[in-house]
Amino acid sequence: MLGLSFLLVGSGLLTSLLAIRGGLEGFGTQALGFLGSAFFAGYLAGTYFVPSMIRRIGHIRAFSFFTAVVACVTLLHGLLIDAWFWALLRFIAGAAMIGLYTIVESWLNSYAQPAHRARIFSVYMVVSLGSLAFAPQFLNWASPGSQTLFAIAAVLVCAAAIPVSSTRLTQPVIENVAPLGLRNLYHKAPVAFVTALFSGLAQGAFWGLSVVWADQSGMNNASVATFMSLSIIGGAALQWPIGFLTDRLDRGHVISVISLVAAAFALLMLFAGGEHTYLAYISGFIYGGFSFALYPLAVARMMDRLTASEVFSANGSLLLVYGIGAALSPMLVGSLMNYLGVVALPAWYVLIELLLAYIVWMLAKQSPADVGQQTAFTPMVRTTATAINIPDPEPRENLPGSLVD
């Protein structure tokens, strides 16, 4: 957890820094959006070769390897200012980050007893989102136009390897499980499939362009950092009450309602920024809280619909669906912002959330849930296929270790 915290503070700082530094260097929103898409494209590519590499060299050496890769590409951003070069670096960073997430999550799974799994992954979620929320505050420490912040981000990433490389814990084994086909996944769990796709479309744009939106809306660096931190804190804080609610009601209908609330506060962002910075803070906190819950809700809905033997393979497919949406949206929204201005980003949020609410509501009506048999909601961040590696997804009332109980 300590290594993960250093890693995510460093990588989170880099993500925010690139958006502001890119603007200072004259990159348009289309180019900045492409950087976000390149990261998630690397994230997807990494899912194909990372597990075999970890199995071959072991978790500790792989963790050190991937942190070294992220640290190197972090420093290289400051040595050559070029959009295409930065896109290549973001692709490499995305592939390395999926490797690091895979290592952490498979390690947690190897030590987590089924009764305590929800609690352990909730702590993992708090550490992850807390670190990402703290990361933008480093923008206040030095000018984004200097090399200082790139160096700080690289130092933090390097520091992540220290606690992991010094451990004496037994390293786990990653199972080689073929993913469930996308067609089969949609047939078995259509609500989960659609929710994961639209969550990726929204979250990819958030991670890739929200700093750009805040910066171009007239906020200073301190306000940009506060907006990002509050949005991520909202994403962490509201997952528990949302999880409590969705464990007791039809999950499909709850997803629709959550999407509508997210759309309403995304609409508020259209009037935020500049002298109305407080509106950005409020809308960012609540929009983040509701929109961040959508992917874990998709995972929970998937587990409601599949057998124990299908869950692990299906989770890899669900992550692929999310990743496709996340890789496409920054490039698409960046192009829209290039022509329509900063309003394109919150307008995209509104469109995506409204479409998701309508489609999921119609799908949920066709296949209502047995509320008493729904599996427990587990808060999580963007994750990997190894996060759902459990022998038997039990109903909520049979999981005494779950935080929602």
Side-chain angles (χ1 to χ4, degrees):
M1 292 296 182
L2 180 61
L4 176 72
S5 181
F6 279 122
L7 171 69
L8 293 183
V9 173
S11 63
L13 169 60
L14 178 63
T15 299
S16 298
L17 175 60
L18 290 179
I20 295 179
R21 180 63 179 271
L24 294 175
E25 299 292 344
F27 293 3
T29 54
Q30 191 169 15
L32 294 172
F34 184 67
L35 296 181
S37 292
F39 178 86
F40 283 106
Y43 200 85
L44 284 176
T47 61
Y48 291 97
F49 70 85
V50 157
S52 61
M53 180 178 179
I54 297 172
R55 282 192 292 268
R56 181 166 55 86
I57 67 175
H59 280 61
I60 294 175
R61 283 192 292 177
F63 193 94
S64 299
F65 174 85
F66 288 126
T67 51
V69 169
V70 176
C72 287
V73 300
T74 298
L75 292 172
L76 285 171
H77 282 94
L79 297 180
L80 178 59
I81 310 298
D82 178 80
W84 289 105
F85 182 63
W86 279 19
L88 174 62
L89 295 178
R90 294 304 285 161
F91 179 89
I92 296 171
M97 287 301 296
I98 191 66
L100 291 163
Y101 278 120
T102 300
I103 291 165
V104 172
E105 291 176 4
S106 60
W107 212 318
L108 290 177
N109 263 317
S110 71
Y111 286 97
Q113 297 299 318
H116 300 142
R117 184 184 177 281
R119 182 173 300 165
I120 289 172
F121 270 82
S122 295
V123 173
Y124 167 63
M125 186 275 293
V126 170
V127 171
S128 299
L129 288 179
S131 300
L132 291 170
F134 179 69
Q137 297 304 316
F138 278 93
L139 294 175
N140 299 316
W141 286 32
S143 169
S146 70
Q147 297 297 101
T148 304
L149 291 177
F150 286 111
I152 291 174
V155 168
L156 288 166
V157 171
C158 289
I162 297 173
V164 176
S165 60
S166 62
T167 185
R168 298 176 63 184
L169 291 174
T170 303
Q171 299 181 66
V173 175
I174 297 178
E175 300 294 335
N176 188 12
V177 179
L180 186 72
L182 296 185
R183 182 177 297 180
N184 287 336
L185 176 61
Y186 180 81
H187 177 72
K188 292 175 178 289
V191 170
F193 185 102
V194 171
T195 303
L197 176 63
F198 278 78
S199 175
L201 289 169
Q203 290 299 297
F206 173 84
W207 292 112
L209 291 166
S210 54
V211 172
V212 179
W213 172 83
D215 184 45
Q216 295 187 1
S217 294
M219 300 186 199
N220 56 32
N221 288 346
S223 297
V224 171
T226 301
F227 167 75
M228 289 299 298
S229 295
L230 287 174
S231 299
I232 298 170
I233 290 170
L238 298 187
Q239 285 200 39
W240 277 285
I242 288 172
F244 181 87
L245 178 66
T246 190
D247 282 343
R248 289 154 176 79
L249 299 172
D250 185 300
R251 189 160 278 143
H253 291 151
V254 172
I255 290 173
S256 292
V257 173
I258 287 172
S259 300
L260 287 175
V261 176
F265 282 90
L267 188 63
L268 185 62
M269 288 186 193
L270 291 170
F271 308 98
E275 61 185 27
H276 301 296
T277 303
Y278 69 95
L279 288 179
Y281 295 163
I282 295 170
S283 58
F285 180 86
I286 300 179
Y287 176 77
F290 282 84
S291 64
F292 274 50
L294 289 173
Y295 183 75
L297 285 174
V299 173
R301 178 71 177 201
M302 175 194 72
M303 294 174 67
D304 294 339
R305 295 304 192 198
L306 302 182
T307 64
S309 61
E310 296 172 319
V311 166
F312 188 36
S313 60
N315 190 54
S317 298
L318 196 71
L319 179 65
L320 176 62
V321 173
Y322 171 92
I324 291 171
L328 290 174
S329 61
M331 186 166 49
L332 292 173
V333 179
S335 298
L336 290 174
M337 292 175 71
N338 195 46
Y339 292 103
L340 303 177
V342 294
V343 297
L345 181 62
W348 173 264
Y349 292 153
V350 172
L351 175 63
I352 292 300
E353 302 294 352
L354 289 178
L355 284 174
L356 175 60
Y358 174 75
I359 295 171
V360 167
W361 184 269
M362 298 304 294
L363 290 173
K365 285 174 58 178
Q366 298 172 12
S367 180
D370 184 350
V371 176
Q373 294 300 312
Q374 290 187 149
T375 52
F377 174 90
T378 300
M380 62 175 62
V381 292
R382 182 176 63 243
T383 185
T384 72
T386 61
I388 308 297
N389 183 16
I390 55 178
D392 183 20
E394 299 179 83
R396 181 190 56 80
E397 61 270 20
N398 294 332
L399 290 174
S402 173
L403 284 180
V404 295
D405 290 330

